[in-house]
Amino acid sequence: MAYEIERLETDVLVIGGGLAGSMAAIQARENDADVIVLEQGNTYRSGNAGSGLDHIFSYVPPVHEKVGYTKDFMKSDMLQNGLMGLGLGDRKISDHFVDVSYERILLLEKYGLNFRYDNSHLEGGFRLVPQFHSVPTSLHFEGRDIMVKLTEQMKKAGVRIINRAQVVKILTAESGEAIGAVAVDTRKEKVYVVSSKTSI
């Protein structure tokens, strides 16, 4: 069996076109990097968000500042989460999430997801419900087609998406730095060899 080999070069290689991979790809592209996404399935329904989401917890300044709930309070609440107590969380990542979560919400909103409702009684039209924290922080939104919207945004931004490409090897420099990947097409007799300046 002879496989066709396609060699590609890019600034940023993103392995996996789920929620995190798609957001990383869009942001890299918006910063003028050439970007390729290798996705083993299809980015339209990839990853844990593939079937949709309807809430995400976030620090929402227009709402939380009004009631005196600060970012520091939310960071403290995050530490009380059961997984953090079991040592399964990372304090730096958790704190960073609190610091940037609202910015990410605004980006998702910019990409076409609805977070605001006319019948909300909260500032900005948000809907917040209690879940993990001492005050309501779970932000309800219309995210059934989140991956559809992000895929369309990637295409609009000029990200090169290669679906049905199962990564089988990470290419590394002598220093150990990732400099690309090898992927096998799951539907055709084809192999992709991607060289990159940065791999995610």
Side-chain angles (χ1 to χ4, degrees):
M1 183 185 313
Y3 280 80
E4 175 191 352
I5 298 176
E6 183 172 351
R7 298 183 184 276
L8 301 164
E9 293 185 6
T10 188
D11 296 325
V12 178
L13 170 62
V14 179
I15 299 172
L19 181 56
S22 295
M23 289 292 281
I26 293 165
Q27 290 296 291
R29 189 70 195 105
E30 288 181 352
N31 283 285
D32 296 323
D34 184 60
V35 183
I36 290 177
V37 171
L38 294 176
E39 163 57 38
Q40 67 180 349
N42 189 302
T43 57
Y44 277 105
R45 291 294 176 196
S46 176
N48 290 333
S51 60
L53 299 170
D54 64 3
H55 68 280
I56 184 171
F57 55 88
S58 175
Y59 183 81
V60 184
V63 176
H64 291 128
E65 287 175 357
K66 197 170 183 179
V67 296
Y69 186 68
T70 67
K71 285 185 178 181
D72 286 338
F73 282 148
M74 187 173 186
K75 289 174 184 179
S76 176
D77 273 354
M78 296 284 279
L79 292 177
Q80 306 308 313
N81 182 296
L83 293 178
M84 291 289 280
L86 293 172
L88 299 175
D90 183 291
R91 175 71 186 263
K92 288 181 182 176
I93 293 173
S94 176
D95 287 354
H96 179 71
F97 172 84
V98 173
D99 288 333
V100 303
S101 59
Y102 186 64
E103 295 169 27
R104 298 302 180 264
I105 296 304
L106 296 179
L107 279 176
L108 288 170
E109 191 173 47
K110 174 182 151 187
Y111 301 151
L113 292 158
N114 182 40
F115 287 85
R116 300 172 197 257
Y117 300 87
D118 291 337
N119 62 356
S120 170
H121 67 282
L122 297 175
E123 191 74 31
F126 295 107
R127 287 181 184 166
L128 288 168
V129 296
Q131 194 171 15
F132 299 114
H133 304 106
S134 59
V135 301
T137 58
S138 284
L139 185 59
H140 177 258
F141 70 105
E142 294 172 10
R144 184 190 69 178
D145 292 325
I146 188 169
M147 292 312 306
V148 173
K149 303 253 188 208
L150 290 179
T151 296
E152 292 302 320
Q153 187 63 34
M154 283 194 287
K155 289 181 174 183
K156 181 180 174 184
V159 173
R160 291 185 280 169
I161 302 169
I162 303 174
N163 286 315
R164 313 291 179 204
Q166 175 67 53
V167 173
V168 294
K169 183 174 183 179
I170 304 295
L171 302 175
T172 57
E174 286 184 20
S175 63
E177 178 185 4
I179 56 170
V182 176
V184 176
D185 193 300
T186 61
R187 297 210 171 158
K188 299 180 277 188
E189 294 176 0
K190 187 171 186 177
V191 173
Y192 300 96
V193 179
V194 183
S195 300
S196 62
K197 295 175 184 173
T198 301
S199 299
I200 301 172

